[in-house]
Amino acid sequence: REFGVDEEILCPFLNELTEDEVKKVTLGLREKYVENVNYAEYLVKHIEGLSKLREREYLILQTQNKWLQLRQFGMDLGDVLAECGYRKVAIYGYGHLGKLLYQELKVSSSVCLVSCVIDKFLGSSEDVEVPIVSPGEFRQDADAVIVTAIYDFESIKQEYEKDIVFVSLQDVIDGGLCK
């Protein structure tokens, strides 16, 4: 609200725009507010940020839908991971998807165990029975790290040594894990 932008009005409008339409809106804002560059740039950054947030939310929703379909067919992600040789995993990210994965592996009938949760923002949590470590504190004590922050998978993977196996939760769900 730095410049009085009402997000309650702007967000639903932006959710209806395609990526090309977002580009046109941001270009139009830059042209319209030439005399007030700070305001135009603020609006452009705000709209671009909301657009990226929308893309992240859509990716998470797609992943959840596919996951639910797998569950409806009786598939267990713990079994999928164990079949690929990952019997002990670390979960990177304890947002929505991270919590779901932790709970599924916790109650799973498979032999895939969670060694720890890696999260930048979470210091502790009552529902986590394994150590919670920051990304800098993680020492490999798992066969693989399952990244639930699927939208940032490549950048997260690049932060670590090459000998650590990183797997995107999206790849686990899409079935491309052991191929």
Side-chain angles (χ1 to χ4, degrees):
R1 293 196 59 91
E2 181 179 338
F3 289 98
V5 175
D6 191 344
E7 291 183 19
E8 291 178 13
I9 294 171
L10 190 58
C11 288
F13 166 73
L14 290 174
N15 284 334
E16 302 299 320
L17 297 179
T18 65
E19 189 174 326
D20 287 338
E21 289 170 331
V22 169
K23 288 178 185 176
K24 287 177 187 176
V25 168
T26 57
L27 181 62
L29 286 170
R30 284 190 173 108
E31 290 172 358
K32 182 174 182 176
Y33 294 102
V34 169
E35 62 280 352
N36 190 344
V37 175
N38 288 340
Y39 183 62
E41 287 306 312
Y42 168 78
L43 287 176
V44 167
K45 285 181 183 177
H46 191 72
I47 289 171
E48 288 172 347
L50 290 173
S51 180
K52 287 180 184 175
L53 181 62
R54 180 182 68 180
E55 289 172 17
R56 282 182 171 198
E57 295 297 324
Y58 182 71
L59 184 58
I60 290 169
L61 184 60
Q62 275 185 314
T63 302
Q64 284 180 292
N65 285 340
K66 289 178 185 176
W67 193 346
L68 181 57
Q69 289 172 346
L70 291 176
R71 295 294 295 157
Q72 289 173 334
F73 287 107
M75 293 190 71
D76 181 313
L77 291 187
D79 291 339
V80 172
L81 291 167
E83 285 173 19
C84 295
Y86 305 135
R87 303 214 181 275
K88 188 175 182 185
V89 299
I91 296 174
Y92 190 108
Y94 202 66
H96 186 69
L97 292 176
K99 289 175 184 173
L100 289 173
L101 179 61
Y102 177 77
Q103 291 302 321
E104 178 159 334
L105 294 179
K106 183 177 169 184
V107 298
S108 173
S109 61
S110 76
V111 292
C112 185
L113 303 172
V114 177
S115 65
C116 69
V117 170
I118 307 165
D119 195 273
K120 290 181 184 179
F121 308 109
L122 187 66
S124 65
S125 179
E126 292 179 10
D127 63 333
V128 179
E129 298 169 359
V130 296
I132 300 170
V133 298
S134 70
E137 296 173 330
F138 174 68
R139 300 293 173 255
Q140 185 173 1
D141 63 340
D143 300 323
V145 176
I146 310 303
V147 179
T148 63
I150 53 180
Y151 37 82
D152 288 330
F153 175 71
E154 289 302 325
S155 62
I156 291 168
K157 183 178 174 182
Q158 290 175 1
E159 291 178 20
Y160 290 89
E161 300 169 15
K162 301 277 187 221
D163 60 335
I164 298 175
V165 176
F166 278 81
V167 177
S168 171
L169 177 62
Q170 189 174 19
D171 289 340
V172 175
I173 290 171
D174 287 345
L177 183 60
C178 297
K179 293 179 180 177

